Amino acid sequence: MKTLGIFRHAKSDWTDARLRDFDRPLNTRGRAGAGLMGKHIREHAVGWKRILASPAVRVTQTIELAGEAAGETPPITWDRRIYLASSATLIDVLREQDSDPRTILLVGHNPGLEDLIFDLVPDDGSSPLRDVVEDKFPTAAYAVIELDIENWADLRDGTGRLVHLVRPRDLDPSLGPSLTD
């Protein structure tokens, strides 16, 4: 069995219209959310062996702040293909993982991350948390999927169970949606 974590970047700043999407940093709420989620990820204690991440600024800042709050950061592989990737591309990236670590934390963007959850977790009622993701997989959300596979190369649609899902607002209501979102 393998375990896949999915961590969406925290809330980004849209105030500077001159910045490319790739270069957008986190806003104040995003910085707070990233730190809070880092603590939660540590307390959830999966023991991530590898992080696969988009190199976009908002993702690198999310990982940095979450790692500081957690007191550790596993080895990171930055992969430009993860930036705004589709679920199919994310599955390809995961299938390529060598040395088959038992656990991988994937950090990136929607809609690809949300679609990945829908592709890996069957819509058969076996994962009630899937319904929450159908409503929204917001910024800084963290999900854990247990996969019925022995090797990452064997990753296929429908092989997962969504066993954990936390959003920043679940830990601190002030980090939930506001009227300006």
Side-chain angles (χ1 to χ4, degrees):
M1 184 173 78
K2 301 289 187 192
T3 303
L4 175 64
I6 298 176
F7 186 25
R8 185 173 172 202
H9 67 78
K11 192 86 174 151
S12 59
D13 189 346
W14 288 82
T15 56
D16 187 349
R18 296 170 298 163
L19 285 178
R20 296 181 315 150
D21 179 73
F22 188 88
D23 296 325
R24 281 190 293 113
L26 297 181
N27 66 16
T28 301
R29 193 168 109 200
R31 296 178 70 77
L36 182 65
M37 294 308 290
K39 289 177 189 173
H40 174 77
I41 291 168
R42 179 194 69 224
E43 291 165 1
H44 188 239
V46 169
W48 300 110
K49 299 297 182 197
R50 180 177 301 160
I51 294 176
L52 299 177
S54 160
V57 170
R58 59 192 179 274
V59 173
T60 62
Q61 289 180 336
T62 298
I63 292 170
E64 178 183 331
L65 292 166
E68 286 173 8
E72 66 178 330
T73 303
I76 302 170
T77 300
W78 303 102
D79 191 327
R80 182 124 182 152
R81 294 176 296 168
I82 297 171
Y83 174 67
L84 304 181
S86 67
S87 174
T89 298
L90 296 172
I91 288 173
D92 287 344
V93 169
L94 288 164
R95 285 180 183 152
E96 294 171 3
Q97 296 312 297
D98 60 353
S99 74
D100 275 316
R102 187 183 65 75
T103 61
I104 291 177
L105 180 61
L106 180 63
V107 188
H109 314 266
N110 256 359
L113 293 179
E114 186 173 293
D115 290 343
L116 180 63
I117 293 170
F118 296 147
D119 289 344
L120 295 178
V121 179
D123 188 13
D124 61 4
S126 63
S127 292
L129 294 173
R130 190 179 191 281
D131 293 339
V132 177
V133 175
E134 284 184 13
D135 181 44
K136 186 173 184 183
F137 191 66
T139 53
Y142 167 69
V144 178
I145 299 173
E146 292 178 347
L147 298 160
D148 292 324
I149 58 173
E150 292 300 317
N151 299 298
W152 289 103
D154 300 329
L155 186 61
R156 301 283 181 269
D157 287 358
T159 57
R161 284 179 312 283
L162 183 59
V163 297
H164 186 79
L165 174 66
V166 173
R167 303 161 299 181
R169 67 176 156 207
D170 298 329
L171 304 174
D172 180 348
S174 73
L175 295 174
S178 69
L179 296 176
T180 60
D181 285 349

